[in-house]
Amino acid sequence: MLQDIGGAVPPNTDHAVSVSLPTWKANVGYEEGEPWVVSKMQCGYPRFFIHPIIQELAKEVVQRYGNPDTESAMLFPSSKTAQICCTFMLLRLSADESHRVRVVDFVPSPRTKAESVNVTSHLSTVIYPKEYGPVAKQVWQHTGNGVSSRRGQFCHSALRDGFLVEKKSASADTAAQRMCKGPRRYQGKDSVNGAFRTGGAHASTPDSSLTTSGVPDGQEYIQFIEERFGRNLNTSLADQAKLAVRRRIAGVLTADVELSEALEEKFGEGRVAGLTESDVFLFPTGMSSIFNSHQMLMAARGVMKSICFGFPYIDTLKTLQKWGPGCLFYGQGSSEDLDDLEARLDNGERFLAIFTEFPGNPLLKSPDLKRIRLLANKYNFAVVVDETVGNFLNINVLPCADIVVSSLTKIFSGDSNVMGGSAVLNPHGRYYSSLKDTFAREYEDNLWAEDAVFLERNSRDFVSRIEKINCTTEQITEMLKGSSLVKNVYYPKCNPSRPLYEAFRHPNGGYGGLFSVTFFSTDEAVAFFDHLEVHKGPSLGTNFTLSSPYTLLAHYGELEWASSFGVEFDLVRISVGLEDLSDLRCLVQRALDAVAKVNA
């Protein structure tokens, strides 16, 4: 099953969030920008590769409002998210060039009837000199705030048909200029204070945009959604889909009675009491939930350094380093690192928050959350936990966190055709009141309507999917551990940090569907990857098995740095899907047979 280079993963999917890079050589070619790979890219992971639909819309905006020969545009769902990009760029441009960076806002045409265009069809664009494209791309990648391909598709049609027009307001233009050039405290060349400001036309609490009057709860509620959406995916009722997603994340609502009972059985008494959908906030991507949680904490607690604990998904570290006064990084995530942190705290150093993953990616190592919580209580800092890899059906980290963030793009959706993220506030957390007030003032619902519909539909069976994937992954990792050809298998169940994972595992929870494997030579790793007949590309948590040479893709420009934290450059990461166990065993065995031939 060798899929063509650059094709959508899954195939024939207009809004796929992964792309086929089927061989080790193709992955290196992609990172090197080689034409034989790049020219074939039909799509890519949306924060790293801007979808062709969005590229076309950006070209049209520049054609109308800029200079196509010298300028480009980056697209965002709101004025606020565009201003974050604008500010970031201005601090990195010369004074002579700064006037060329500007924000153009688009709003529904006054002649448009309210019922014909969704009220969230706002579009903001940052137009800038082409040579500064890599700077704008950093904002797109690290913040996760860019428009989705579905929003881009809608806005492109609306712009062409005259339903989306430029917002012309002298006062708005002046405000935009002030925002771009605004407060520079802690805004050094590599650090931008992008903390949200109070108010704004797009600020709202999640509940303020949801219309639930006359809509029953439970099973009738789901039937209501299904009847209204039908096969046409009517986005006029997307608010109900968002509410369903938030309830599902809070553990209140699933697709049917059986799944509700399964969820109740998993959580039992271990779920945080008092948690409701009002504590769940949705974002357009998982990275956006992390970026905005950091912003909210700075707005609520003041601007301070943060801590990144454990080897992280790279954009989390970049966000903490580039927005705010800096970041203390503990890449090993060890007890010795916590000893060092405690010594710093004893000596009077103060921090905004600690950001960590449970478990980490790609080594699936679990941090000591209980000790982190004790330190946070004693020294007054917040705890933000990314549970994407573990997922809240397997683990319950919320009691030790102030905010739990997650990428809904992954196993929650599973279908690999929509992006989304969430942030959940612990109702018993020390900073709950101040964070809730800050979210009420600053939160923007930038999740595009149609994306919300897909998230709601895709996630209805996530309980049963996770259970099957947990079971299959345990069997496959045991198979690999038993092979003399394999150097290491990184998986929560077989890691030395397993006791730390077990402390937060639900009684009926598993160990997730993600693991990494290494071999005794690069040639063996290449043979295994090239002969593993599954989909190859970025992302994880898909309903189909997906593999990538993770370190090459995530850290190609910093391989030595990654290696210093035990992340080998020829590591192979595998995300297990819903295939039959026997079929997947056969595929893995064939790949191991290829490794054996290298040895021979």
Side-chain angles (χ1 to χ4, degrees):
M1 186 180 67
L2 187 63
Q3 191 180 353
D4 290 342
I5 292 172
V9 174
N12 305 313
T13 302
D14 291 338
H15 302 281
V17 303
S18 189
V19 61
S20 177
L21 295 170
T23 64
W24 196 279
K25 184 179 179 181
N27 281 271
V28 173
Y30 169 75
E31 290 295 335
E32 294 283 353
E34 295 185 14
W36 67 274
V37 177
V38 176
S39 64
K40 298 177 182 177
M41 299 287 287
Q42 300 172 25
C43 64
Y45 194 75
R47 287 190 304 99
F48 293 85
F49 180 91
I50 299 177
H51 197 285
I53 290 172
I54 300 172
Q55 292 183 42
E56 286 302 312
L57 175 55
K59 287 179 182 177
E60 178 122 359
V61 168
V62 175
Q63 186 73 41
R64 295 185 183 207
Y65 300 96
N67 185 335
D69 295 328
T70 61
E71 294 182 318
S72 297
M74 199 65 79
L75 311 183
F76 296 92
S78 71
S79 296
K80 183 181 287 186
T81 50
Q83 300 301 342
I84 290 171
C85 179
C86 188
T87 301
F88 187 88
M89 296 194 71
L90 285 176
L91 291 171
R92 287 154 178 80
L93 268 63
S94 66
D96 293 339
E97 291 283 355
S98 61
H99 71 281
R100 295 182 58 198
V101 179
R102 57 202 184 277
V103 173
V104 179
D105 288 319
F106 296 91
V107 295
S109 168
R111 68 183 178 86
T112 302
K113 293 182 180 180
E115 63 269 21
S116 63
V117 176
N118 193 290
V119 294
T120 59
S121 60
H122 186 95
L123 177 70
S124 287
T125 65
V126 180
I127 299 177
Y128 54 86
K130 279 185 177 180
E131 59 267 30
Y132 292 102
V135 179
K137 186 71 179 297
Q138 290 180 54
V139 182
W140 180 276
Q141 177 180 328
H142 299 329
T143 70
N145 284 336
V147 299
S148 73
S149 53
R150 287 187 181 89
R151 183 191 285 263
Q153 191 172 45
F154 176 90
C155 289
H156 199 187
S157 296
L159 182 65
R160 286 182 168 179
D161 294 342
F163 293 115
L164 200 60
V165 297
E166 182 185 5
K167 179 181 179 181
K168 294 183 178 180
S169 167
S171 60
D173 291 343
T174 303
Q177 190 175 22
R178 285 200 302 269
M179 286 283 283
C180 287
K181 298 180 179 179
R184 291 180 178 254
R185 188 182 180 194
Y186 299 118
Q187 294 191 14
K189 199 166 183 63
D190 296 313
S191 173
V192 176
N193 171 18
F196 286 154
R197 293 163 177 79
T198 302
H202 303 282
S204 64
T205 63
D207 288 332
S208 67
S209 63
L210 294 172
T211 304
T212 59
S213 177
V215 180
D217 291 337
Q219 181 62 20
E220 290 182 22
Y221 186 89
I222 287 296
Q223 291 173 350
F224 172 84
I225 292 175
E226 183 65 41
E227 288 168 4
R228 299 311 191 276
F229 283 150
R231 293 189 177 185
N232 294 324
L233 296 177
N234 185 345
T235 59
S236 66
L237 294 176
D239 285 342
Q240 278 73 33
K242 292 180 182 181
L243 181 59
V245 169
R246 291 167 52 224
R247 286 181 171 177
R248 200 159 291 156
I249 293 169
V252 177
L253 179 69
T254 55
D256 55 40
V257 175
E258 287 185 8
L259 292 186
S260 295
E261 291 175 350
L263 196 59
E264 183 178 353
E265 181 183 356
K266 275 188 176 295
F267 287 150
E269 298 299 322
R271 195 65 166 160
V272 170
L275 178 67
T276 70
E277 66 269 15
S278 68
D279 300 316
V280 180
F281 298 83
L282 300 181
F283 295 91
T285 65
M287 199 60 230
S288 179
S289 69
I290 296 172
F291 175 85
N292 283 289
S293 292
H294 181 229
Q295 298 281 287
M296 296 293 182
L297 280 164
M298 288 197 291
R301 301 200 59 230
V303 178
M304 292 181 279
K305 280 188 177 182
S306 290
I307 304 157
C308 186
F309 190 79
F311 193 83
Y313 182 66
I314 188 62
D315 289 316
T316 299
L317 178 59
K318 299 298 185 185
T319 286
L320 300 179
Q321 290 174 335
K322 295 180 181 182
W323 280 270
C327 170
L328 178 62
F329 177 47
Y330 289 110
Q332 298 290 352
S334 63
S335 59
E336 291 79 11
D337 284 342
L338 285 178
D339 291 340
D340 182 81
L341 174 59
E342 188 167 11
R344 288 171 178 266
L345 293 165
D346 278 337
N347 287 331
E349 291 191 50
R350 292 295 176 261
F351 298 93
L352 175 71
I354 191 167
F355 287 73
T356 191
E357 298 174 0
F358 197 97
N361 177 14
L363 299 182
L364 288 304
K365 188 177 180 181
S366 300
D368 190 345
L369 273 189
K370 290 187 175 181
R371 186 178 174 190
I372 288 172
R373 183 70 260 171
L374 291 174
L375 290 174
N377 291 343
K378 183 177 180 180
Y379 295 102
N380 300 315
F381 60 84
V383 178
V384 182
V385 181
D386 184 345
E387 66 171 9
T388 299
V389 173
N391 85 68
F392 68 91
L393 288 183
N394 288 326
I395 56 174
N396 184 20
V397 297
L398 189 56
C400 277
D402 294 283
I403 306 176
V404 170
V405 295
S406 187
S407 172
L408 306 181
T409 308
K410 310 304 192 298
I411 192 62
F412 186 81
S413 167
D415 279 347
S416 192
N417 63 1
V418 65
M419 300 282 281
S422 65
V424 182
L425 304 185
N426 180 356
H428 305 291
R430 171 174 295 193
Y431 305 108
Y432 177 72
S433 294
S434 61
L435 283 171
K436 200 68 182 285
D437 289 344
T438 303
F439 269 82
R441 295 192 311 267
E442 311 289 359
Y443 172 73
E444 289 188 322
D445 181 1
N446 286 327
L447 179 62
W448 176 242
E450 194 178 358
D451 292 329
V453 172
F454 275 85
L455 273 176
E456 192 281 319
R457 286 191 163 189
N458 292 353
S459 61
R460 292 182 185 181
D461 63 346
F462 78 119
V463 174
S464 59
R465 285 189 286 109
I466 287 171
E467 288 177 342
K468 177 175 175 58
I469 287 171
N470 283 342
C471 182
T472 301
T473 309
E474 285 193 46
Q475 296 297 317
I476 295 299
T477 52
E478 285 295 327
M479 174 185 177
L480 288 166
K481 279 176 58 186
S483 172
S484 61
L485 299 170
V486 173
K487 181 180 176 182
N488 280 310
V489 175
Y490 298 96
Y491 187 57
K493 189 176 181 179
C494 55
N495 273 3
S497 64
R498 178 177 175 177
L500 299 175
Y501 184 92
E502 294 288 353
F504 294 90
R505 185 170 68 90
H506 285 297
N508 297 313
Y511 301 91
L514 188 72
F515 68 91
S516 298
V517 58
T518 58
F519 297 88
F520 294 98
S521 73
T522 300
D523 286 344
E524 293 170 335
V526 172
F528 180 84
F529 180 78
D530 285 354
H531 288 84
L532 183 63
E533 296 179 10
V534 300
H535 286 295
K536 314 282 184 63
S539 198
L540 60 94
T542 46
N543 292 339
F544 47 87
T545 298
L546 185 65
S547 181
S548 72
Y550 177 81
T551 316
L552 285 184
L553 282 180
H555 303 285
Y556 192 73
E558 49 191 16
L559 294 176
E560 187 174 344
W561 173 82
S563 179
S564 70
F565 296 104
V567 182
E568 299 178 38
F569 84 95
D570 51 7
L571 172 148
V572 177
R573 192 183 72 174
I574 299 174
S575 171
V576 173
L578 295 174
E579 297 90 349
D580 287 340
L581 174 60
S582 58
D583 292 340
L584 198 53
R585 277 183 176 276
C586 289
L587 297 178
V588 171
Q589 186 58 57
R590 289 176 199 163
L592 288 174
D593 291 344
V595 174
K597 290 180 180 178
V598 171
N599 287 331

